[in-house]
Amino acid sequence: MAIKHILKLLLQQKGISLLIILQVAITVMIVSNTAFISYATLQNWLIPSKLEENQILNVTTRVFDNNIDIASLIEQDVQAIEAVPGVIAASYASHELVLDSQGPGWTMFKDTQPETDYRVFGYFGLDEKGIDVLGLKVIAGRRFYPSEYIKGSFQSNNAGVIMISEELSEALFGNGSALGQTVYISRQRIPHRVVGVYQGKMLGESATYSQQQYHSGIVPEVLWGNRQKLNYLVRVAEGVPERVLQQVETALYHTPGRMVQRVEYAARAKKRLWDGRSTFAFTMSGISLIACIVTAMGIIALVSFSVSLRKKDHGVLRALGASRSMVMTTLIKENTILVFIGLVLGFPLAILLYYFLMNNVHVQSVVELPLLVAVALFTWLISTLAVYLPAREAAKVSPAQVTKSS
């Protein structure tokens, strides 16, 4: 049947056609964003941290006794951890490896101009042993001098120097050298001079969340302003039995007024980083599945109703020599046209929902053209399968039935 005639038939049933188009558009909007979120989550699961994940431990403790001398406690803890068999070195860190940076949403600017381009990065404060514990390889410049380290319960001034990852250096300065350059951290534009560049590691949720996984920087600052939470990074020898986790916890357990919250490998910390988001992605997938089922059932109901209204027309077609397959093909063509219109409407809605989620819900998502194509094919397949049953029933109408009803 000619497309022109099919369009005329669709216009005769504007209400049903609009409902099918709307269902398809809403389904595309939901399924597309589910695919975007799930894809972004999977991509981050697969990104290598470039850390020796099974040789680096995160240790998190909480202090409840306000009378404890935190500086002395940190020194005792480091000594106790390093006394555990298999431990190579331990370091106090202001924040947890992988999970937290020095603060939320850290940004780095090249200069103080308002329109300056900036980069989101993970920002860490480490002590003298921190670089070795993390296994950072300095490829340009130098390490921090002992005199540059700042330690204490509060910060009266900044160290003023920073080491940055190779990837962050390239993002800011291209092929030029970052050494000796002054960069400005946070919206307050706190100046830091770059003294070293190291091979990138996955450090900091803020950078990872912004799809800039290896953009990070470390400063020689060890602060315990939040005296309730003390974090340590520990490097163990390769192949050490997993009981080292319990041994490290036991080494810290006996200090009164303090509890050990967590001792875990970096691999576990990285997984925990994405656990909540993966749950959200799975929830969205469940919503998407429900949307597809509702759409399929809605199309079945609407097309079945349309078929019942046009039963006589189908009988006339059969009387004029149309085969069953021709009747089914006509209905499938009608559905394909409606699905195409729904896709054209649905994709802009999907992009609008994407930006809404990114700006207001702050989920991690990414728009990928192959995913949009896959969603389009999937939606068309679901709708075609949904229209098959009523189309087959319409094809069964015989000319004799029409004659009787006449």
Side-chain angles (χ1 to χ4, degrees):
M1 185 179 292
I3 296 296
K4 184 177 180 181
H5 183 67
I6 292 176
L7 292 174
K8 186 181 295 185
L9 292 175
L10 293 176
L11 288 174
Q12 290 176 358
Q13 296 185 311
K14 291 187 291 290
I16 294 176
S17 298
L18 287 173
L19 286 174
I20 293 176
I21 290 171
L22 187 60
Q23 279 192 322
V24 170
I26 293 174
T27 300
V28 168
M29 179 179 67
I30 295 174
V31 175
S32 295
N33 280 276
T34 298
F36 297 158
I37 293 169
S38 300
Y39 180 79
T41 303
L42 179 61
Q43 287 293 96
N44 281 291
W45 272 344
L46 298 177
I47 292 172
S49 68
K50 298 185 180 181
L51 292 164
E52 292 76 25
E53 295 183 355
N54 294 316
Q55 288 185 255
I56 299 175
L57 307 182
N58 284 329
V59 181
T60 305
T61 71
R62 290 189 72 86
V63 178
F64 300 102
D65 186 350
N66 292 328
N67 296 317
I68 290 179
D69 184 342
I70 297 298
S72 298
L73 179 60
I74 291 173
E75 184 177 351
Q76 294 171 14
D77 286 346
V78 170
Q79 292 176 355
I81 293 171
E82 291 184 334
V84 174
V87 171
I88 297 174
S91 166
Y92 176 78
S94 298
H95 289 75
E96 288 183 79
L97 167 70
V98 178
L99 293 180
D100 291 322
S101 299
Q102 291 273 44
W106 283 102
T107 50
M108 179 177 285
F109 300 82
K110 289 177 62 175
D111 55 51
T112 58
Q113 299 304 313
E115 66 275 8
T116 300
D117 188 21
Y118 68 89
R119 293 291 185 272
V120 176
F121 78 115
Y123 181 43
F124 285 82
L126 299 175
D127 66 11
E128 294 90 338
K129 297 180 182 179
I131 294 176
D132 291 326
V133 170
L134 291 180
L136 299 182
K137 182 179 180 182
V138 180
I139 59 176
R142 63 172 177 83
R143 296 188 174 201
F144 300 123
Y145 295 138
S147 60
E148 291 174 329
Y149 283 93
I150 294 177
K151 299 181 181 180
S153 59
F154 68 96
Q155 188 170 18
S156 59
N157 63 305
N158 296 294
V161 291
I162 189 171
M163 295 174 62
I164 63 175
S165 69
E166 182 180 12
E167 288 79 3
L168 181 55
S169 173
E170 291 176 355
L172 290 171
F173 304 105
N175 295 326
S177 175
L179 298 179
Q181 300 278 5
T182 298
V183 294
Y184 300 86
I185 297 174
S186 81
R187 299 290 178 181
Q188 286 72 42
R189 302 294 209 281
I190 304 170
H192 286 72
R193 180 168 51 88
V194 179
V195 298
V197 177
Y198 56 85
Q199 287 184 345
K201 307 271 187 176
M202 183 180 287
L203 304 172
E205 182 178 9
S206 58
T208 306
Y209 188 81
S210 302
Q211 297 292 303
Q212 298 172 358
Q213 289 81 9
Y214 307 122
H215 287 194
S216 59
I218 57 175
V219 291
E221 299 172 4
V222 175
L223 305 172
W224 45 86
N226 180 4
R227 56 178 290 118
Q228 288 191 334
K229 192 171 183 180
L230 302 182
N231 307 294
Y232 301 95
L233 302 178
V234 182
R235 190 173 191 87
V236 300
E238 188 175 359
V240 170
E242 195 161 327
R243 64 173 177 269
V244 72
L245 299 175
Q246 183 61 47
Q247 292 172 336
V248 169
E249 182 175 351
T250 301
L252 304 177
Y253 177 75
H254 298 291
T255 303
R258 187 263 297 281
M259 67 172 288
V260 180
Q261 278 191 306
R262 202 164 39 237
V263 180
E264 62 183 358
Y265 282 105
R268 170 59 186 151
K270 181 188 173 188
K271 179 180 181 299
R272 186 156 51 86
L273 175 63
W274 300 108
D275 276 349
R277 291 170 197 164
S278 61
T279 300
F280 181 75
F282 292 141
T283 301
M284 290 290 287
S285 297
I287 295 173
S288 177
L289 179 61
I290 293 173
C292 289
I293 293 174
V294 170
T295 298
M297 293 179 65
I299 290 176
I300 290 173
L302 290 170
V303 175
S304 296
F305 180 65
S306 174
V307 166
S308 67
L309 294 177
R310 294 161 53 189
K311 186 174 182 180
K312 185 174 181 179
D313 295 337
H314 296 144
V316 171
L317 286 174
R318 293 297 313 283
L320 294 174
S323 63
R324 290 187 177 184
S325 62
M326 288 179 63
V327 174
M328 290 185 63
T329 301
T330 299
L331 288 172
I332 291 174
K333 285 181 179 179
E334 291 179 11
N335 181 73
T336 300
I337 292 173
L338 295 177
V339 170
F340 177 78
I341 297 173
L343 292 174
V344 171
L345 178 63
F347 284 142
L349 294 176
I351 300 301
L352 288 175
L353 179 59
Y354 164 78
Y355 282 110
F356 173 81
L357 293 174
M358 288 290 289
N359 296 327
N360 296 281
V361 187
H362 302 294
V363 300
Q364 183 144 23
S365 185
V366 59
V367 176
E368 291 284 341
L369 182 59
L371 289 179
L372 289 174
V373 174
V375 168
L377 293 175
F378 177 75
T379 306
W380 174 81
L381 178 62
I382 291 294
S383 61
T384 301
L385 292 174
V387 82
Y388 175 77
L389 290 176
R392 189 175 64 175
E393 292 301 315
K396 291 179 180 179
V397 177
S398 65
Q401 288 178 288
V402 176
T403 304
K404 287 179 182 180
S405 63
S406 302

